[in-house]
Amino acid sequence: MIKDYYQILGVDRDASEDEIKRAFRDLSKKYHPDLNKTKEAEEKFKEINEAYSVLSDKRKKAEYDNYLKYGFKDNFVGDNFGGFGINFGFEDIFKDIFGFDFNIGNVGMKKKYQPLIVNITLSFEDTYFGCDKKVKYSRKNKCKNCDGTGSQSKSRKKCSKCAGSGYYTEARGRNMFIKTTCPFCYGSGQEEPQDKCKHCDGTGAVNETLEVSVHFPPGIKPNDGVAISNKGHYYNDGQYSDLYVRVARVINNTNYDRIDDNLVLYYDVDYLDVLKNNNIITVKHIDGKEYKIDISSNSRKSFEPYIVPHRGFTKNSNFVVFINIKFPKIKKEENIKKIIELFE
C-alpha cells in the first residue's frame, strides 16, 4: 500500500505550504534522533523526511495527489521514486528551529573543499630543530568588484534544482537516498549570473599572490605539512579552502641521516687516532653537544652502534652512532713505525 504522507505529517490534503512546513518542523523537533532517543524515533524521523520531500516539492506533490485521486502502482511513490531528484531543503528549517545546523546524513553540512597544496623545500637542520618560513603562493581570492558573487549587481539566485544546498539528493528504493554534488550549479548552490562581473568573468574570484608565515614543528617529516585554515582558494558560496604547506623536499648537507625518527651518524675514525686517544672517540650531536664513546671493549672492525636515548627527532627516538674503524695497511714501514711510536 502507498503511504499517506498527509496523515504522516498530520495535515489535511488541502493543507497550504506553510501548514505542511510547520507540521514538518514540529514533528522533526519531536522525533529527531539527537533529541529523542527512543527506538521508534529514528524510523519515524525517516518517514517524516520522506513525506516532506514529496509534499514540499510542487511537481512531486501534484504527481502524488494525482496518483491518490486516480490510482497508481503500489510502491511507486515512497518505496520507489523512479530516480526522481529530490532536495529536502532542511538547512533553513533546522537552523530556524534549533538555531544551528544538524547533520542529517550529509544534509546541512557545509561543503568541504580540497585544500590548496603548496610545496616547500627545507634543510635537514630545519626538520630537526623546526623553523619559521615565509611562504609566497598564488591563489584565487574574493573579487572585490562583485563582492565574490560573480554578478555585476552583486546578487545571485539560489539554484532552483538544489534549493541552494549545493547537493542533489535522489531516492533509490525504500528509504535509500544518494546525495551528490548538484549537477546544475556544480555545488555552488547558486545559478549562473546573467550579468557576469567583468573583473572575474562571473567566477567571483581573481588571482592574487599572498605571503604567509608558517611554523614547521621540530621533527617534521618529508611529505608532512602544516595546514592553515581559510588561506586557500575562494569559492563563490563564500567559503575559502584551507592552505596545506607540504615538505616536498629535504636538502641534507650534513653528516647525519634520518632513519624513522632516529638521528643517525656514520662516523669514520682512523685506528691510529683511536690508539692515540686511549680508545675514546668523541662525536658531536647535530646541536653541538659532544659525547665520548669508550670502544676499549670492542676488538673488531665493525662496532655495534652507540645509542644516546631520547636525542632523536622526537622524545621517543634516539641518537644512533655507527662507528667504522679504518685500519692502516701495516705493510708500509711508515705505518709500522707510527704504531711502535705509540707504545714507546
Side-chain angles (χ1 to χ4, degrees):
M1 284 292 293
I2 183 66
K3 295 180 180 179
D4 189 334
Y5 291 141
Y6 292 100
Q7 185 179 7
I8 290 172
L9 293 183
V11 296
D12 295 331
R13 293 193 177 184
D14 59 353
S16 65
E17 290 183 14
D18 288 340
E19 288 173 332
I20 291 172
K21 182 176 181 179
R22 193 182 308 115
F24 171 73
R25 291 172 57 182
D26 293 341
L27 291 171
S28 295
K29 185 175 181 180
K30 182 178 180 181
Y31 292 104
H32 193 283
D34 288 344
L35 302 174
N36 190 329
K37 301 299 183 181
T38 62
K39 294 181 180 180
E40 299 79 14
E42 185 176 354
E43 280 301 317
K44 186 67 176 178
F45 188 68
K46 290 179 181 178
E47 196 174 44
I48 294 166
N49 291 337
E50 182 182 318
Y52 184 73
S53 70
V54 174
L55 298 184
S56 63
D57 186 289
K58 290 182 179 180
R59 179 174 63 85
K60 290 182 176 56
K61 183 177 182 296
E63 291 178 357
Y64 178 71
D65 289 342
N66 286 333
Y67 287 135
L68 286 179
K69 186 175 181 179
Y70 300 109
F72 55 91
K73 294 180 180 179
D74 286 347
N75 297 330
F76 183 81
V77 178
D79 291 342
N80 183 0
F81 285 93
F84 289 146
I86 59 174
N87 183 73
F88 296 112
F90 292 147
E91 292 91 336
D92 295 336
I93 297 171
F94 279 109
K95 193 176 292 183
D96 184 37
I97 297 172
F98 303 110
F100 57 91
D101 291 339
F102 271 106
N103 177 10
I104 310 169
N106 287 326
V107 181
M109 295 178 67
K110 285 188 175 181
K111 183 176 179 63
K112 184 69 174 178
Y113 294 101
Q114 291 295 320
L116 170 60
I117 299 176
V118 175
N119 292 325
I120 192 173
T121 299
L122 297 181
S123 69
F124 188 83
E125 295 94 324
D126 288 337
T127 62
Y128 183 84
F129 295 106
C131 63
D132 293 295
K133 296 286 184 181
K134 294 287 186 181
V135 178
K136 187 178 288 187
Y137 65 100
S138 297
R139 71 166 184 172
K140 296 281 188 182
N141 195 16
K142 183 178 182 178
C143 177
K144 294 181 179 178
N145 184 65
C146 65
D147 200 25
T149 62
S151 168
Q152 284 290 131
S153 61
K154 298 185 179 181
S155 63
R156 290 179 70 170
K157 294 181 179 180
K158 283 185 177 182
C159 174
S160 59
K161 302 296 182 181
C162 67
S165 69
Y167 295 101
Y168 199 68
T169 307
E170 291 185 0
R172 301 285 179 86
R174 183 180 179 86
N175 295 329
M176 181 181 292
F177 303 99
I178 297 177
K179 191 172 186 181
T180 59
T181 300
C182 177
F184 299 96
C185 67
Y186 303 102
S188 70
Q190 300 171 331
E191 293 184 355
E192 278 291 312
Q194 299 300 315
D195 55 339
K196 289 186 177 181
C197 172
K198 297 178 181 179
H199 287 73
C200 64
D201 194 30
T203 64
V206 293
N207 291 323
E208 75 162 8
T209 300
L210 193 65
E211 185 177 71
V212 294
S213 180
V214 183
H215 174 70
F216 296 92
I220 191 167
K221 296 179 181 179
N223 295 317
D224 281 355
V226 176
I228 305 175
S229 299
N230 302 321
K231 288 297 183 180
H233 292 310
Y234 173 81
Y235 293 87
N236 59 15
D237 62 355
Q239 293 190 75
Y240 282 89
S241 65
D242 294 340
L243 171 68
Y244 187 77
V245 185
R246 185 173 71 95
V247 181
R249 185 183 175 209
V250 175
I251 296 176
N252 189 359
N253 293 322
T254 72
N255 295 322
Y256 302 91
D257 200 357
R258 180 174 189 161
I259 298 179
D260 295 327
D261 286 330
N262 296 306
L263 177 67
V264 178
L265 174 63
Y266 297 96
Y267 189 78
D268 292 336
V269 60
D270 192 283
Y271 183 68
L272 296 178
D273 291 332
V274 174
L275 294 177
K276 190 183 297 183
N277 292 293
N278 297 318
N279 295 321
I280 300 297
I281 296 174
T282 302
V283 297
K284 278 188 177 182
H285 191 273
I286 194 172
D287 64 6
K289 185 175 181 178
E290 293 186 346
Y291 293 92
K292 295 186 182 297
I293 304 173
D294 185 355
I295 62 169
S296 58
S297 61
N298 296 282
S299 59
R300 51 193 176 84
K301 184 176 180 179
S302 296
F303 292 83
E304 293 295 325
Y306 177 76
I307 297 176
V308 183
H310 312 301
R311 291 306 317 277
F313 281 81
T314 65
K315 292 180 179 180
N316 296 322
S317 60
N318 306 317
F319 176 38
V320 181
V321 183
F322 290 91
I323 301 171
N324 181 42
I325 305 287
K326 292 183 176 180
F327 288 87
K329 296 178 180 179
I330 59 174
K331 291 182 180 180
K332 294 183 179 181
E333 292 183 3
E334 57 184 52
N335 286 332
I336 296 175
K337 289 181 180 180
K338 287 182 180 179
I339 295 174
I340 294 174
E341 290 173 359
L342 289 172
F343 289 97
E344 286 181 350

